[in-house]
């Protein structure tokens, strides 16, 4: 097989010039560029991607670290990151930690287990020719995997970082919940049962905050007895409904479609007609929600959008770095700790499970 | 940063010996091995994965080419391939063609579009240090991407190859359908409406064959008027139900859960009670099927299993190649054209939508 060096000799230029042309760098005259491309074409030369990484500074390759590819949130995020990278001619390598696959939802308090899985991946990324990293979390929390001195640019997607060097792109849980509860209130509902996930989960905390703000702004008392903490499972939705129904609620707000499936189960079992006797709203807009009877009114997670924004953030950073040789100073808004957080709004999906009181 | 060569000098051995130790090859004395590992530890040497690929024959890295990561079938397949590879200490690189994302279901008759996407991926794989490839299709068909002279071992997953060098691991559509229709017949159903996908789709063809065999073996006439070809969409399930209901069927067999959702829609709309007035069975066991009311009796796709079998096939091939320097001759059964096809059985998931007539 012909080598890059031989191409250079055939064209009477330096190997660096050939490399620049292959990598689209505009430092070569058009005449030389055409000549080199012609010789590459004639000789059937295939640039060796791996060797290329060793020779030039930027490999135009980013790594995605997914906490679990099979979480329903991951594929749309990853797919839109890939789309954005393709448009800018970046390659993407996907690492999959398989955290839920290994340990279901028990892993996130086991630091040792997590470290045993993330460490080899970080080593891989650091010893390969990778320009930057997007970390795709399985659920929102503060992730401390990368310290301030981490040597590559990182963007945190669907979770929060604790480093001022690492921006986060998350969904706006609080606003999404606020919008849904405001919608329920606009339909006349005042006693709204809130079926949350685990109490210390950030999605739960922020969605409850949105609920409370909507109640407050409408001059409605917040009754803590209307809050039930489940564990995201369908069974816990069922249990929540059976508890809250005694509080004389006219509507349920389950904050995950799968859990809301359990609320439906309870109402079906007790022959309480959904959308007439009682209204039900939810969060996620998973594909299951379209198959509920009646079809579920829910809140769409902007998964493709947070993927796209994460990719844009990282690629802009890399392009600026390439152009200037210096790190970009971000234009994005910062929170009180100086950490960039981009919150992407959710969209209400109005179907048939909420009606006027 | 310290290099592999410097490690070799410090240990007074050849760079090849250091490389062998790093890659776990058992050609070195235990004493030398320990010494090298100690020096690696003390110097903080990180083997450069990419450079490593250039020096040694096997990179212990395989590539997955997914037709679309966001198809519901892909994540479980990919996750179990990764699990199997991890157990054997192989790295996995994921390429995602995003075919459905780009062109929905119109792409598979457009050879040019497909080639524009697959070609750069194949080039990437050939110029990187990859030991083998698993192609994860979005639906079953004969895939001609790799010719007989393709330079790497390939396993075709969830589709068929046309090369005797490339084994296929697929789900047993025909047997899965045969089992479900036999179950319906055992419940007293004789007029069973079959709502298929597109007529020329291999899943449709094989599932219809299973339906016909079950009818034949039970001495029941096959009435072609009971077959409706949809397009996998929910709407086409609705349309199929509205046509077949006039044929006096006592049960529907929709061959994809999403499409069967449309059968449910039709029956709901016409107040025909599912599981009493009429039975409904399906295929896929997507997560939506658990949320149907009544919960859907369906056929589980063995997605994790075909992923695992594909990985085992490829890794065994690679291990044998490494050990012997020759290609393995397969033990698997071959079809009449000499192409290995492994069919993995599906499992019936009995829920509440089928009752005795």
């Amino acid at each position: 097989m012909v080598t890059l060096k031989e191409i250079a000799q055939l064209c009477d230029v330096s190997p660096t010039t050939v490399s620049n042309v292959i990598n689209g760098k505009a430092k070569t005259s058009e005449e030389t560029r055409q000549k080199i491309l012609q010789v590459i074409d004639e000789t059937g030369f295939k640039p060796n991607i791996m060797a290329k990484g060793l020779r030039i500074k930027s490999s135009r390759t980013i790594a995605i670290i997914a906490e679990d590819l099979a979480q329903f949130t991951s594929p749309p995020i990853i797919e839109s990151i890939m789309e954005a990278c393709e448009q800018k001619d970046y390659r993407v390598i996907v690492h999959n930690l398989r955290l839920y696959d290994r340990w279901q939802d028990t892993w996130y308090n086991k630091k040792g287990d997590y470290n045993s899985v993330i460490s080899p991946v970080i080593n891989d990324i650091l010893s390969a020719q990778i320009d930057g990293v997007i970390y795709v979390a399985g659920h929102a929390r503060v992730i401390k995997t990368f310290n301030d001195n981490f040597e590559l640019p990182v963007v945190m997607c669907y979770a929060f970082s604790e480093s001022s060097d690492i921006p986060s792109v998350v969904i706006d849980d609080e606003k999404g919940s606020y919008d849904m509860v405001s919608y329920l209130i606009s339909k006349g509902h005042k006693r709204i049962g809130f079926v949350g996930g685990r109490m210390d989960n950030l999605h739960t905390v922020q969605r409850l905050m949105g609920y409370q703000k909507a109640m407050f702004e409408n001059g409605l008392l917040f009754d803590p007895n209307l809050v039930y903490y489940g564990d995201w499972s369908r069974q816990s939705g069922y249990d929540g409904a059976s508890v809250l129904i005694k509080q004389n609620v006219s509507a349920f707000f389950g904050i995950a479609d799968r859990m809301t499936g359990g609320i439906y189960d309870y109402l079906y079992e007790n022959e309480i007609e959904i959308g007439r006797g009682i209204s039900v709203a939810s969060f996620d807009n998973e594909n299951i929600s379209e198959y509920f009877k009646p079809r579920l009114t829910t809140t769409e997670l902007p998964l493709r959008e947070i993927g796209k924004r994460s990719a844009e953030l990282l690629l802009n950073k890399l392009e600026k770095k390439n152009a200037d040789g210096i790190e970009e100073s971000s234009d994005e808004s910062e929170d009180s700790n100086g950490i960039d957080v981009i919150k992407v709004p959710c969209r209400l999906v109005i179907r048939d499970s909420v009606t006027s009181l």
Side-chain angles (χ1 to χ4, degrees), chain A residues 33-46:
Chain A
R33 204 178 76 85
Q34 286 304 337
K35 187 176 166 192
I36 291 169
L37 289 176
Q38 195 189 331
V39 172
I40 286 174
D41 196 37
E42 286 168 358
T43 55
F45 171 69
K46 282 185 203 128

Side-chain angles (χ1 to χ4, degrees), chain A residues 82-90 308:
Chain A
M82 286 181 155
E83 184 181 1
C85 286
E86 184 179 293
Q87 282 163 3
K88 296 260 182 175
D89 200 21
Y90 273 80
K308 187 179 169 207

Side-chain angles (χ1 to χ4, degrees), chain A residues 257 285-296 351:
Chain A
D257 291 340
N285 197 32
E286 265 202 88
N287 59 359
I288 56 173
S289 62
E290 279 188 79
Y291 291 88
F292 283 32
K293 301 275 181 202
R295 298 181 324 137
L296 185 60
R351 296 201 184 95

Side-chain angles (χ1 to χ4, degrees), chain A residues 70-73 75-76 256-258 282-301 303 349 351:
Chain A
Q71 284 286 102
F72 81 93
T73 46
D257 291 340
R258 292 176 195 214
S282 188
F283 222 98
D284 285 352
N285 197 32
E286 265 202 88
N287 59 359
I288 56 173
S289 62
E290 279 188 79
Y291 291 88
F292 283 32
K293 301 275 181 202
R295 298 181 324 137
L296 185 60
T297 290
T298 188
T299 313
E300 185 172 79
L301 304 184
L303 298 171
V349 181
R351 296 201 184 95

Side-chain angles (χ1 to χ4, degrees), chain A residues 30 43 118 131 145 198 208 219 266 291 327:
Chain A
E30 184 55 23
T43 55
I118 187 73
D131 293 350
T145 304
R198 292 184 200 283
L208 183 57
Y266 178 85
Y291 291 88
E327 291 260 351

